[in-house]
Amino acid sequence: MSKRKDAAPFAPAAEWYAELGVDVESALRRLEGVSVSLQCWQGDDVRGFETLGEELSGGIAVTGDHPGRARNPEELRRDMEKALSLIPGNHRVNLHAMYGEFKGKKTDRNEITSEPFASWADWAEQNGLGLDFNATLFSHEKASSGFTLSHRETAVRDFWIEHVRRCREIGAFFGRKLKKTCVHNLWIPDGSKDETVSRSAYRQRLLQSLDAIYETEFEENFLLDSVECKLFGLGSEAYVVGSHEFYLVWAASRRHLLCMDMGHFHPTESVADKISAVLPFVKGLLLHVSRGVRWDSDHVVILNDDLRHLMAEIVRADGLARTHLAMDFFDASINRVGAWVIGARATLKALLLALLEPVECLREMEANGDGFGRLALLEEMKSLPFGAIWAEFCKRMNVPPDESWIREIHAYERTVLSKRS
Ligand code: RNT
Ligand code: ZN
């Protein structure tokens, strides 16, 4: 390490925080205990390994044609191992049902079992990773109408009910095998481009489908269930069946997790503000850490105000233990492995910043009616030597503490990714 790097020493930085009543060691311990779920779909542009011959659909889109997309499970795992080697801490991998090792065998979604996922589970076990899971209700001929669990036809709904039931089984298989709770998240594309006069009927049917799916209970240590809302998608601009209100009430009344994706709300709505509003009523939260830009809800996560506020609110609401963090973005225009690392490092940095907040001091000022002091301290916090604390965390976790990881990604691009056609 260069002299310049040693010039950002940990001890005086920690001292600065300590003077404000912040215990840096305890913040680092808490950060170490948090895992972020790495979305496998960033590595191959949400294609998966099925042989059903379907294109990506469901109102989500990947743009860009950077070379080096993972073309099979081995490549995808290798890419994720590379990314994980540059992210401090112990993390998880998030799979979608379309990522089984089907080995060229046509397995329809309603026939899926844990068998094609056994190799994923072995790999996760060897690497000490947890696995999360998602049913895939898009990129399929039975989803081409834009409706799945709320479809008018019983046969179509039953097909998808069966799929999600099986996916929860697979999730429980991961949880049991790895002895790490698997979060199974359900997002469906259901909605319409233009006005419908049947808003209620679709929601009634979705409600019935959900209640049929989640009738089976699994041991909480193995499986937790979450449902994910959305404001609109490509082709579902006028109406989305699984809206925020719908799933909020469903998750609260059925004691499940609510998944909030940072890109799934109106741009002026604050997901951070929803944390303390929702936590008292649901079993827990799953956060899809993402970045909305214009119409796209899935840009690579960076350390911006939205992310900082979100993490700050989780910590202030004492909600870390009941909040599961997963990244959800897909960008094919830059090095895909590097995108994971940018997003995960930003997520962890935002969380560390939140854990380093002198919250007691701020709350005391607030209680004393000192609004000026509170605002001034929040501003001063922005220029504290956070970088030295982050670098220390990375060093302790044996990953690059500085920008040198960028060179590692460049090297991986040269030696591995660029060789893929
Ligand atoms: C789509 C949702 C969903 C997907 C993944 C692939 O808008 O955000 O979470 O991104 O399931
Ligand atoms: Zn999402």
Side-chain angles (χ1 to χ4, degrees):
M1 191 162 304
S2 69
K3 275 224 172 80
R4 181 172 58 84
K5 301 289 158 46
D6 289 334
F10 173 64
E15 190 55 36
W16 198 329
Y17 282 95
E19 278 167 24
L20 290 161
V22 178
D23 180 348
V24 172
E25 286 300 334
S26 125
L28 293 179
R29 269 195 307 277
R30 289 179 77 189
L31 186 62
E32 196 184 334
V34 174
S35 59
V36 176
S37 204
L38 216 67
Q39 76 286 30
C40 75
W41 51 92
Q42 159 61 28
D44 80 327
D45 312 338
V46 206
R47 290 178 196 229
F49 305 126
E50 289 173 317
T51 43
L52 304 173
E54 293 289 333
E55 300 264 296
L56 178 61
S57 75
I60 50 180
V62 184
T63 47
D65 62 352
H66 194 84
R69 166 179 74 79
R71 296 159 302 178
N72 53 53
E74 289 76 32
E75 289 181 349
L76 188 53
R77 286 195 278 263
R78 188 170 176 195
D79 291 354
M80 284 192 285
E81 282 169 23
K82 183 74 211 176
L84 288 162
S85 75
L86 301 170
I87 301 167
N90 301 310
H91 300 290
R92 313 174 55 80
V93 163
N94 208 356
L95 295 175
H96 239 284
M98 46 151 71
Y99 286 82
E101 292 212 39
F102 302 106
K103 305 208 161 93
K105 204 172 124 216
K106 189 173 183 285
T107 308
D108 209 347
R109 302 270 172 88
N110 63 343
E111 299 162 349
I112 196 167
T113 63
S114 55
E115 199 209 297
F117 294 92
S119 45
W120 280 108
D122 291 341
W123 171 76
E125 194 169 39
Q126 281 151 22
N127 289 277
L129 298 163
L131 286 178
D132 296 312
F133 203 55
N134 301 260
T136 312
L137 290 89
F138 50 85
S139 305
H140 189 279
E141 150 236 335
K142 286 202 170 56
S144 60
S145 66
F147 293 94
T148 61
L149 291 175
S150 71
H151 199 282
R152 316 174 161 268
E153 288 170 32
T154 315
V156 177
R157 292 199 304 280
D158 285 348
F159 175 89
W160 290 115
I161 289 171
E162 182 62 23
H163 173 62
V164 186
R165 278 188 178 147
R166 286 167 175 257
C167 286
R168 292 181 69 225
E169 298 273 359
I170 298 169
F173 156 74
F174 288 150
R176 260 193 299 274
K177 160 126 183 155
L178 302 171
K179 299 188 185 64
K180 291 184 177 164
T181 315
C182 168
V183 178
H184 176 270
N185 179 51
L186 178 69
W187 170 74
I188 62 169
D190 297 34
S192 63
K193 180 184 174 79
D194 221 326
E195 285 307 322
T196 166
V197 292
S198 310
R199 285 176 189 259
S200 175
Y202 284 115
R203 290 189 172 132
Q204 288 294 331
R205 289 193 291 263
L206 176 56
L207 178 57
Q208 278 169 15
S209 295
L210 292 178
D211 284 341
I213 291 166
Y214 294 92
E215 195 174 70
T216 319
E217 288 190 19
F218 289 90
E219 213 181 293
E220 235 179 85
N221 290 334
F222 302 143
L223 186 76
L224 285 172
D225 291 291
S226 72
V227 284
E228 179 181 6
C229 71
K230 195 166 181 175
L231 184 63
F232 75 95
L234 295 171
S236 61
E237 291 86 358
Y239 173 63
V240 168
V241 186
S243 61
H244 179 52
E245 290 76 6
F246 180 91
Y247 282 136
L248 173 64
V249 178
W250 191 81
S253 58
R254 270 61 172 175
R255 299 289 300 151
H256 284 297
L257 309 190
L258 182 75
C259 172
M260 293 195 283
D261 183 310
M262 292 175 75
H264 287 193
F265 294 87
H266 191 278
T268 63
E269 238 177 306
S270 160
V271 180
D273 179 56
K274 298 178 194 297
I275 304 287
S276 57
V278 173
L279 264 179
F281 303 103
V282 294
K283 183 178 212 102
L285 290 172
L286 171 63
L287 293 176
H288 271 188
V289 183
S290 185
R291 176 168 54 112
V293 177
R294 310 282 180 195
W295 59 266
D296 178 43
S297 64
D298 301 289
H299 270 55
V300 179
V301 165
I302 55 172
L303 185 59
N304 59 10
D305 283 351
D306 288 342
L307 188 62
R308 294 190 56 172
H309 289 155
L310 182 76
M311 295 304 168
E313 277 304 315
I314 298 169
V315 173
R316 291 171 189 164
D318 203 13
L320 208 45
R322 284 200 292 138
T323 303
H324 303 259
L325 298 174
M327 299 194 296
D328 186 15
F329 51 79
F330 19 97
D331 189 337
S333 74
I334 60 173
N335 182 302
R336 293 171 185 77
V337 183
W340 269 317
V341 184
I342 295 172
R345 286 178 75 111
T347 303
L348 293 165
K349 278 183 191 169
L351 184 52
L352 179 56
L353 280 162
L355 292 167
L356 291 171
E357 189 173 73
V359 74
E360 275 164 33
C361 199
L362 288 161
R363 285 196 174 137
E364 197 181 305
M365 286 169 163
E366 193 165 288
N368 295 333
D370 185 6
F372 149 73
R374 180 188 56 198
L375 191 59
L377 184 54
L378 282 169
E379 282 300 291
E380 285 304 315
M381 292 314 294
K382 293 177 180 168
S383 51
L384 252 63
F386 166 75
I389 313 284
W390 167 254
E392 176 71 13
F393 181 65
C394 291
K395 283 186 217 160
R396 290 187 191 178
M397 299 294 117
N398 294 314
V399 308
D402 52 30
E403 72 287 349
S404 61
W405 71 267
I406 301 171
R407 287 197 295 279
E408 288 206 33
I409 293 289
H410 283 151
Y412 190 72
E413 169 122 28
R414 265 193 318 277
T415 55
V416 180
L417 300 177
S418 68
K419 306 264 154 58
R420 295 176 190 166
S421 55

